[in-house]
Amino acid sequence: MTTTPPSLDLDTPLEELDPDHGRALAAVLRADLRRHDHLYHVEARPEISDGEYDRRFTRLKALEARWPELVTPDSPTQRVGAEPRSELTTVAHTAPMLSLDSSQDPDEVRRFDERIRKVVEDERIEYVLEPKLDGVSIELVYEAGLLARAVTRGNGREGEDVTPNVRTIASVPLRLREEERPAPPLLAVRGEILMRLGAFEELNQRLVEGGQEPFANPRNATSGALRQLDPKVTAERPLECLAYDILLVEGATFRTDLEGIEALREWGLPTPERIELVREVEDILAYHAAFDRDRDHLDYEIDGVVIKLNDLDERVDLGATSRHPRWAMAFKFEPRKEVTRIERIAVQVGRTGVLTPVALLRPVEVGGVTVSRASLHNREELERRGIREGDLVRVQRAGDVIPQVVEVVEDPAAGARGEPFVMPDRCPGCDAEVEVRGPFTICPNRFGCPAQLKGRIVHFGSRSGLDIEGLGSETAALLVERGLVRELADLFDLEPGQLEELPGFAEISARNLTGAIRARRRTELRRFLFGLGIPEVGVAVARDLAHHFRSFEALRAADREALEAVKGIGPRMSEGIVDFLAEEQNARAIARVLERMEELSVPDEGPAGGPLEGQLFVFTGGLESMSRSAARKLVEALGARTAGSVSGSTDVVIAGEGAGSKLEKARSLGIEVLDEDAFVALLREHGVDPAGG
Ligand code: IVH
């Protein structure tokens, strides 16, 4: 049924071929096999039989065996072949791999859409919808069209180099196709490695028959296969790859996500199915509902859908928090649930004084993770749901991370239930009488409660705070119990001799901890602001405040209006910050810490002192002579800052083609507006010629 193209000489005995002939034939075979790999593994419409494929493959192998110099790294024969390694090495990503903010709540999706509509004009909004694949995230790097590197997500900045393993995955092209589009000099792609359910079950059956442990779920099986030291083992595992995002590309530009996806397809990379483009929240909800219905009929696991803004310039405008892009989110499905028993209910006191009831559970595995405790939130929640010690409960992992008790399950085997749980009248940390504020139970002893102080110390020294190694929760508890630290400032006065007395400490560990604390007398302002535990001030807000005010004194002097001029700070936050800093005991405690600090720095983001320094630019509409992200980079290189929306602190608005509501707002606020010609003239004035590149 299949015919052999004439140039594919499969019959002439090798001895009769001269080396030139051999080389030409090998090249033809490689291109041919690559094409059939693509038809089979990516497009799922094979044109030749497996037997015919094998015949051509064997022929290429024979040619390469006869003339080893003909072997190329991207030859279809070279997918397996690398030697086992002794360990996986860690390498940096070409571009950071952020994670997605996620929620199961349609209202969160509505709020996401509203936030975007504050920055992006309605008529320009388009969302790309995709299934959220429940596999293992991967970066594939192609250099000059050849697969150079495959790296797991790791911490987002660096991951494990699993290149030899990923090369064994048949649907990952070793060389980009160039039939429709030339390969770029550099392409970094993000995708997901996964295992189809049928293949997963077969694999597990094989493992069980061979006397081995089966995998709990396809994701674990995928992760295990990907992290093998011997690529031959990976090659036997039925892995697939789907690519969904361009992390970085050189030598090509795309205006939209869909253009990028189209290019990925043309380059031969498999992409997710059922990608859709919509404009309204209701369409997002419908897409989510449809996939949720179909979820159990798909032959791979998904845990939600991903919503992404299509326009890449608009994405730049929206930017990212420290962890998530603001232009995308994951809209997850209801998680899977398990039943277990509450052994006891304990009460925790947090650094802000809130008492939280916590269910200590008989450990249970929920979707691959063992859960042994779950927050019961607050008194009102606890009463409303009638949860008691000893109850049998259904638990789930919210957003698949934080464990939650969903409901009490009827327990026919049990006798009488325990007594209803009542929150204590006194703080378990300091014995102060608690206050009831709405649903919350609060220890009012802000500066005298050791449990709150312990929480503040841990927060101050946490990774995003002053990052003090060795200052974990147990050590903080000891320091407080022994009276060595009565407020944050005392940390800086600790002497090694005092620590040596503590259980678990010796001379070296004591010196290490005091040294680590001393070293943090110089720290970044953003870390200091985060570490103070100001209400509502997380990592991203602390960073934005530091960049805006540049010194603690300037922040302390700011009123609510000045605070609200900072991107992302609204009325609630500004009030929380002002009240916190004005509170007498806080102010005194902070002053004592400040006395001990030597430097609170704000590292520069770009070349300082540029001619546009101090000016805030906002772009709206499309520019003809350059992309909006290029324009942003140019003004930033000249020292200006840029933002996505127009506010009182905006200095200049650059209005391109199709500018809409932002332009109107700029006019109403009397902000300087430049059209594209004037903008280009401004750049030239400062020695930048956009046309000249
Ligand atoms: S987009 C910065 N699209 O879900 C945005 N992610 O935190 C890049 N995932 O592990 C991610 N399917 O690897 C995107 N269609 C899809 C996805 C997807 C699965 C993974 C991603 C990450 C997690 C999101």
Side-chain angles (χ1 to χ4, degrees), residues 98-100 130-133 137 190 192 244 306 308 325 327:
L98 299 178
S99 62
L100 291 176
E130 289 171 10
K132 181 166 172 348
L133 310 161
S137 184
R190 180 171 185 164
E192 203 86 354
Y244 47 70
V306 180
K308 306 176 193 178
W327 43 261

Side-chain angles (χ1 to χ4, degrees), residues 317-509:
D317 281 357
L318 280 151
T321 69
S322 59
R323 273 178 294 164
H324 314 298
R326 291 198 176 90
W327 43 261
M329 75 173 281
F331 183 12
K332 299 250 240 172
F333 300 138
E334 287 281 330
R336 304 204 156 102
K337 303 175 178 113
E338 300 297 337
V339 170
T340 189
R341 196 174 293 283
I342 297 184
E343 295 186 323
R344 201 161 73 73
I345 296 176
V347 176
Q348 270 181 3
V349 186
R351 69 182 157 87
T352 56
V354 176
L355 270 59
T356 307
V358 179
L360 305 181
L361 304 164
R362 181 166 302 166
V364 63
E365 202 179 283
V366 185
V369 170
T370 305
V371 170
S372 56
R373 49 196 296 140
S375 169
L376 298 171
H377 305 292
N378 56 55
R379 179 184 44 79
E380 216 169 82
E381 230 358 64
L382 199 62
E383 280 168 15
R384 190 176 59 75
R385 302 170 59 193
I387 295 171
R388 302 181 185 188
E389 288 183 336
D391 278 352
L392 203 57
V393 289
R394 204 180 305 284
V395 294
Q396 69 176 22
R397 287 189 294 130
D400 271 353
V401 197
I402 304 160
Q404 286 180 341
V405 173
V406 189
E407 59 188 352
V408 177
V409 182
E410 261 200 66
D411 185 4
R417 287 175 74 197
E419 293 295 306
F421 184 82
V422 259
M423 288 294 277
D425 297 333
R426 295 185 167 275
C427 169
C430 68
D431 210 38
E433 211 164 304
V434 299
E435 282 172 14
V436 173
R437 255 180 252 159
F440 300 106
T441 312
I442 291 170
C443 165
N445 190 9
R446 294 258 331 262
F447 292 93
C449 175
Q452 293 187 46
L453 176 58
K454 181 198 131 189
R456 283 201 298 275
I457 294 173
V458 172
H459 186 77
F460 190 63
S462 68
R463 189 88 76 80
S464 306
L466 265 63
D467 194 16
I468 299 171
E469 198 168 333
L471 190 57
S473 162
E474 279 172 34
T475 303
L478 279 173
L479 294 174
V480 174
E481 266 167 40
R482 303 288 167 110
L484 294 176
V485 176
R486 294 198 161 80
E487 56 178 296
L488 289 181
D490 297 339
L491 283 170
F492 295 97
D493 301 339
L494 287 170
E495 296 292 339
Q498 297 175 296
L499 295 182
E500 272 175 48
E501 318 269 293
L502 301 178
F505 274 89
E507 197 185 326
I508 301 202
S509 47

Side-chain angles (χ1 to χ4, degrees), residues 18 33 36 58-59 133 144 159 225 251 310 334 337 391 428 433 466 541 592 614 674 688:
D18 60 40
L33 288 168
H36 290 295
T58 311
R59 176 74 160 169
L133 310 161
N310 191 27
E334 287 281 330
K337 303 175 178 113
D391 278 352
E433 211 164 304
L466 265 63
V541 173
R592 284 200 62 218
L674 302 182
V688 177

Side-chain angles (χ1 to χ4, degrees), residues 184-348:
L186 178 68
L187 174 70
V189 177
R190 180 171 185 164
E192 203 86 354
I193 309 282
L194 49 87
M195 206 178 274
R196 305 247 170 203
L197 297 182
F200 165 71
E201 273 148 28
E202 267 173 40
L203 168 67
N204 263 355
Q205 200 172 336
R206 244 176 33 223
L207 290 173
V208 171
E209 282 164 8
Q212 286 176 277
E213 278 289 305
F215 287 102
N217 55 49
R219 175 148 47 86
N220 288 3
T222 302
S223 170
L226 206 55
R227 303 186 62 252
Q228 288 292 326
L229 295 175
D230 185 354
K232 288 194 190 64
V233 178
T234 313
E236 285 166 8
R237 302 277 158 92
L239 298 180
E240 287 184 37
C241 178
L242 292 173
Y244 47 70
D245 186 39
I246 295 181
L247 285 164
L248 186 80
V249 61
E250 278 174 14
T253 44
F254 303 111
R255 292 193 154 265
T256 64
D257 188 68
L258 282 191
E259 282 179 16
I261 296 278
E262 184 54 30
L264 292 179
R265 287 196 184 124
E266 291 176 354
W267 282 322
L269 285 150
T271 51
E273 59 178 342
R274 289 170 65 170
I275 298 181
E276 277 182 31
L277 195 65
V278 303
R279 312 184 63 98
E280 304 296 334
V281 176
E282 296 314 313
D283 299 326
I284 300 177
L285 304 187
Y287 181 86
H288 179 267
F291 249 122
D292 203 359
R293 271 195 304 276
D294 298 349
R295 186 181 180 193
D296 290 335
H297 305 292
L298 293 176
D299 68 344
Y300 53 91
E301 298 230 81
I302 61 175
D303 54 356
V305 302
V306 180
I307 313 162
K308 306 176 193 178
L309 201 59
N310 191 27
D311 188 299
L312 302 184
D313 275 341
E314 307 287 8
R315 287 186 181 182
V316 177
D317 281 357
L318 280 151
T321 69
S322 59
R323 273 178 294 164
H324 314 298
R326 291 198 176 90
W327 43 261
M329 75 173 281
F331 183 12
K332 299 250 240 172
F333 300 138
E334 287 281 330
R336 304 204 156 102
K337 303 175 178 113
E338 300 297 337
V339 170
T340 189
R341 196 174 293 283
I342 297 184
E343 295 186 323
R344 201 161 73 73
I345 296 176
V347 176
Q348 270 181 3

